[in-house]
PDB file of all heavy atoms in Angstrom:
ATOM      1  N   LEU A  86      -3.567  20.097 -17.955  1.00 92.00           N
ATOM      2  CA  LEU A  86      -4.854  19.410 -17.829  1.00 92.00           C
ATOM      3  C   LEU A  86      -5.600  19.867 -16.576  1.00 92.00           C
ATOM      4  O   LEU A  86      -6.818  20.047 -16.605  1.00 92.00           O
ATOM      5  CB  LEU A  86      -4.651  17.892 -17.832  1.00 92.00           C
ATOM      6  CG  LEU A  86      -5.885  17.035 -18.003  1.00 92.00           C
ATOM      7  CD1 LEU A  86      -6.642  17.394 -19.283  1.00 92.00           C
ATOM      8  CD2 LEU A  86      -5.508  15.559 -18.033  1.00 92.00           C
ATOM      9  N   VAL A  87      -4.876  20.074 -15.485  1.00 91.00           N
ATOM     10  CA  VAL A  87      -5.512  20.584 -14.263  1.00 91.00           C
ATOM     11  C   VAL A  87      -6.086  21.975 -14.517  1.00 91.00           C
ATOM     12  O   VAL A  87      -7.211  22.284 -14.109  1.00 91.00           O
ATOM     13  CB  VAL A  87      -4.500  20.601 -13.096  1.00 91.00           C
ATOM     14  CG1 VAL A  87      -5.056  21.356 -11.902  1.00 91.00           C
ATOM     15  CG2 VAL A  87      -4.138  19.179 -12.684  1.00 91.00           C
ATOM     16  N   LYS A  88      -5.335  22.817 -15.226  1.00 92.00           N
ATOM     17  CA  LYS A  88      -5.813  24.162 -15.552  1.00 92.00           C
ATOM     18  C   LYS A  88      -7.074  24.097 -16.412  1.00 92.00           C
ATOM     19  O   LYS A  88      -8.035  24.834 -16.200  1.00 92.00           O
ATOM     20  CB  LYS A  88      -4.710  24.930 -16.275  1.00 92.00           C
ATOM     21  CG  LYS A  88      -5.063  26.350 -16.613  1.00 92.00           C
ATOM     22  CD  LYS A  88      -3.906  27.051 -17.299  1.00 92.00           C
ATOM     23  CE  LYS A  88      -4.294  28.448 -17.698  1.00 92.00           C
ATOM     24  NZ  LYS A  88      -3.208  29.120 -18.428  1.00 92.00           N
ATOM     25  N   TYR A  89      -7.080  23.171 -17.392  1.00 93.00           N
ATOM     26  CA  TYR A  89      -8.257  23.007 -18.257  1.00 93.00           C
ATOM     27  C   TYR A  89      -9.479  22.567 -17.442  1.00 93.00           C
ATOM     28  O   TYR A  89     -10.573  23.108 -17.601  1.00 93.00           O
ATOM     29  CB  TYR A  89      -7.956  21.971 -19.345  1.00 93.00           C
ATOM     30  CG  TYR A  89      -9.151  21.632 -20.199  1.00 93.00           C
ATOM     31  CD1 TYR A  89      -9.490  22.429 -21.288  1.00 93.00           C
ATOM     32  CD2 TYR A  89      -9.946  20.527 -19.916  1.00 93.00           C
ATOM     33  CE1 TYR A  89     -10.579  22.131 -22.078  1.00 93.00           C
ATOM     34  CE2 TYR A  89     -11.047  20.218 -20.697  1.00 93.00           C
ATOM     35  CZ  TYR A  89     -11.365  21.018 -21.773  1.00 93.00           C
ATOM     36  OH  TYR A  89     -12.457  20.726 -22.532  1.00 93.00           O
ATOM     37  N   VAL A  90      -9.281  21.566 -16.568  1.00 93.00           N
ATOM     38  CA  VAL A  90     -10.404  21.040 -15.774  1.00 93.00           C
ATOM     39  C   VAL A  90     -10.938  22.123 -14.838  1.00 93.00           C
ATOM     40  O   VAL A  90     -12.153  22.339 -14.747  1.00 93.00           O
ATOM     41  CB  VAL A  90      -9.965  19.776 -14.988  1.00 93.00           C
ATOM     42  CG1 VAL A  90     -11.002  19.402 -13.946  1.00 93.00           C
ATOM     43  CG2 VAL A  90      -9.728  18.619 -15.935  1.00 93.00           C
ATOM     44  N   LYS A  91     -10.039  22.813 -14.139  1.00 92.00           N
ATOM     45  CA  LYS A  91     -10.486  23.866 -13.210  1.00 92.00           C
ATOM     46  C   LYS A  91     -11.206  24.987 -13.952  1.00 92.00           C
ATOM     47  O   LYS A  91     -12.137  25.591 -13.420  1.00 92.00           O
ATOM     48  CB  LYS A  91      -9.299  24.431 -12.432  1.00 92.00           C
ATOM     49  CG  LYS A  91      -8.819  23.519 -11.328  1.00 92.00           C
ATOM     50  CD  LYS A  91      -7.721  24.195 -10.534  1.00 92.00           C
ATOM     51  CE  LYS A  91      -7.300  23.362  -9.356  1.00 92.00           C
ATOM     52  NZ  LYS A  91      -6.267  24.036  -8.540  1.00 92.00           N
ATOM     53  N   GLY A  92     -10.799  25.262 -15.189  1.00 93.00           N
ATOM     54  CA  GLY A  92     -11.452  26.296 -15.982  1.00 93.00           C
ATOM     55  C   GLY A  92     -12.862  25.924 -16.404  1.00 93.00           C
ATOM     56  O   GLY A  92     -13.660  26.787 -16.759  1.00 93.00           O
ATOM     57  N   HIS A  93     -13.199  24.628 -16.370  1.00 91.00           N
ATOM     58  CA  HIS A  93     -14.532  24.171 -16.770  1.00 91.00           C
ATOM     59  C   HIS A  93     -15.379  23.704 -15.582  1.00 91.00           C
ATOM     60  O   HIS A  93     -16.438  23.122 -15.767  1.00 91.00           O
ATOM     61  CB  HIS A  93     -14.415  23.039 -17.792  1.00 91.00           C
ATOM     62  CG  HIS A  93     -13.944  23.518 -19.130  1.00 91.00           C
ATOM     63  ND1 HIS A  93     -12.613  23.721 -19.431  1.00 91.00           N
ATOM     64  CD2 HIS A  93     -14.632  23.872 -20.243  1.00 91.00           C
ATOM     65  CE1 HIS A  93     -12.504  24.150 -20.664  1.00 91.00           C
ATOM     66  NE2 HIS A  93     -13.709  24.263 -21.188  1.00 91.00           N
ATOM     67  N   MET A  94     -14.902  23.954 -14.365  1.00 90.00           N
ATOM     68  CA  MET A  94     -15.651  23.556 -13.164  1.00 90.00           C
ATOM     69  C   MET A  94     -16.465  24.734 -12.636  1.00 90.00           C
ATOM     70  O   MET A  94     -16.093  25.895 -12.809  1.00 90.00           O
ATOM     71  CB  MET A  94     -14.686  23.083 -12.061  1.00 90.00           C
ATOM     72  CG  MET A  94     -14.042  21.748 -12.320  1.00 90.00           C
ATOM     73  SD  MET A  94     -12.806  21.318 -11.072  1.00 90.00           S
ATOM     74  CE  MET A  94     -13.803  21.136  -9.623  1.00 90.00           C
ATOM     75  N   ASP A  95     -17.598  24.417 -11.974  1.00 85.00           N
ATOM     76  CA  ASP A  95     -18.398  25.450 -11.316  1.00 85.00           C
ATOM     77  C   ASP A  95     -17.697  25.969 -10.067  1.00 85.00           C
ATOM     78  O   ASP A  95     -17.771  27.139  -9.742  1.00 85.00           O
ATOM     79  CB  ASP A  95     -19.780  24.902 -10.942  1.00 85.00           C
ATOM     80  CG  ASP A  95     -20.618  24.577 -12.165  1.00 85.00           C
ATOM     81  OD1 ASP A  95     -20.391  25.209 -13.223  1.00 85.00           O
ATOM     82  OD2 ASP A  95     -21.478  23.677 -12.080  1.00 85.00           O
ATOM     83  N   ASN A  96     -17.028  25.053  -9.350  1.00 86.00           N
ATOM     84  CA  ASN A  96     -16.327  25.417  -8.123  1.00 86.00           C
ATOM     85  C   ASN A  96     -14.887  24.903  -8.199  1.00 86.00           C
ATOM     86  O   ASN A  96     -14.589  23.817  -7.710  1.00 86.00           O
ATOM     87  CB  ASN A  96     -17.058  24.824  -6.913  1.00 86.00           C
ATOM     88  CG  ASN A  96     -16.436  25.248  -5.607  1.00 86.00           C
ATOM     89  OD1 ASN A  96     -15.548  26.088  -5.566  1.00 86.00           O
ATOM     90  ND2 ASN A  96     -16.909  24.651  -4.523  1.00 86.00           N
ATOM     91  N   PRO A  97     -13.968  25.671  -8.820  1.00 89.00           N
ATOM     92  CA  PRO A  97     -12.595  25.194  -8.982  1.00 89.00           C
ATOM     93  C   PRO A  97     -11.869  24.934  -7.667  1.00 89.00           C
ATOM     94  O   PRO A  97     -10.937  24.130  -7.619  1.00 89.00           O
ATOM     95  CB  PRO A  97     -11.900  26.326  -9.748  1.00 89.00           C
ATOM     96  CG  PRO A  97     -12.978  27.152 -10.323  1.00 89.00           C
ATOM     97  CD  PRO A  97     -14.181  26.951  -9.456  1.00 89.00           C
ATOM     98  N   ALA A  98     -12.302  25.560  -6.585  1.00 88.00           N
ATOM     99  CA  ALA A  98     -11.655  25.351  -5.294  1.00 88.00           C
ATOM    100  C   ALA A  98     -11.908  23.943  -4.749  1.00 88.00           C
ATOM    101  O   ALA A  98     -11.176  23.465  -3.876  1.00 88.00           O
ATOM    102  CB  ALA A  98     -12.140  26.395  -4.292  1.00 88.00           C
ATOM    103  N   SER A  99     -12.937  23.251  -5.272  1.00 88.00           N
ATOM    104  CA  SER A  99     -13.249  21.905  -4.787  1.00 88.00           C
ATOM    105  C   SER A  99     -12.461  20.812  -5.513  1.00 88.00           C
ATOM    106  O   SER A  99     -12.636  19.634  -5.243  1.00 88.00           O
ATOM    107  CB  SER A  99     -14.750  21.628  -4.922  1.00 88.00           C
ATOM    108  OG  SER A  99     -15.104  21.546  -6.295  1.00 88.00           O
TER     109      SER A  99
END
Side-chain angles (χ1 to χ4, degrees):
L86 193 56
V87 170
K88 182 179 177 183
Y89 174 84
V90 168
K91 284 185 175 182
H93 288 83
M94 288 175 66
D95 293 333
N96 184 8
S99 68

